[in-house]
Amino acid sequence: MILYRLLRADEDPAKGLTAKDPNSVVTVDSHVSYGSYGSDSRYISCSKTLEGINEFASHSKTFPRRIVRIELNENAPDINIIDLTNHYERIQHVFTQHGINFARKFDEVLVEGRIRAECITLI
């Protein structure tokens, strides 16, 4: 699976990516609805499309705007992928209209677990 991510200023793709709080109990709905304005979560937000991540980046206050391409094995045992572009997966996890709109607009996919450096390419 190919994903894209707008890096935070404190993220170094050469070291891999981890969620802000891997032990968090924040729900998918809360994470998607409130993003960086909410509580730290165990999810790493990505986009399934380059168009989605560019749309997200156009609204971001993050500078410099560094986007990475991530290539993940969907069957890897150390990660969990929640593909919110899939309607059936989205209705299981996202309940607020605000969150639904964000997930659709940015083609959001969440990753639980560490994304290894060798899976990441700066574009």
Side-chain angles (χ1 to χ4, degrees):
M1 173 178 266
I2 304 298
L3 300 173
Y4 302 92
R5 175 168 173 79
L6 175 67
L7 295 177
R8 295 189 317 263
D10 65 342
E11 289 180 313
D12 180 355
K15 295 180 180 177
L17 302 173
T18 57
K20 287 182 182 177
D21 183 357
N23 299 310
S24 172
V25 295
V26 169
T27 65
V28 168
D29 186 52
S30 179
H31 174 87
V32 173
S33 296
Y34 303 107
S36 59
Y37 297 107
S39 300
D40 291 351
S41 83
R42 67 182 180 273
Y43 305 108
I44 302 169
S45 288
C46 300
S47 178
K48 198 170 191 175
T49 66
L50 198 50
E51 295 80 15
I53 203 62
N54 282 326
E55 176 68 20
F56 180 76
S58 74
H59 299 282
S60 176
K61 296 176 184 174
T62 299
F63 287 97
R65 291 187 176 148
R66 298 175 300 148
I67 295 175
V68 293
R69 179 181 186 268
I70 301 167
E71 189 168 346
L72 293 177
N73 176 350
E74 296 173 62
N75 300 314
D78 56 338
I79 61 167
N80 180 39
I81 297 171
I82 303 170
D83 185 351
L84 299 176
T85 67
N86 177 306
H87 172 76
Y88 297 104
E89 189 131 14
R90 190 172 55 246
I91 63 173
Q92 290 177 22
H93 296 284
V94 184
F95 311 107
T96 61
Q97 193 60 52
H98 192 69
I100 291 167
N101 292 345
F102 277 149
R104 282 158 123 177
K105 184 174 187 175
F106 305 126
D107 300 325
E108 191 155 9
V109 175
L110 303 180
V111 178
E112 279 184 276
R114 186 173 184 283
I115 300 174
R116 296 184 325 269
E118 58 266 19
C119 299
I120 304 167
T121 306
L122 192 61
I123 58 173

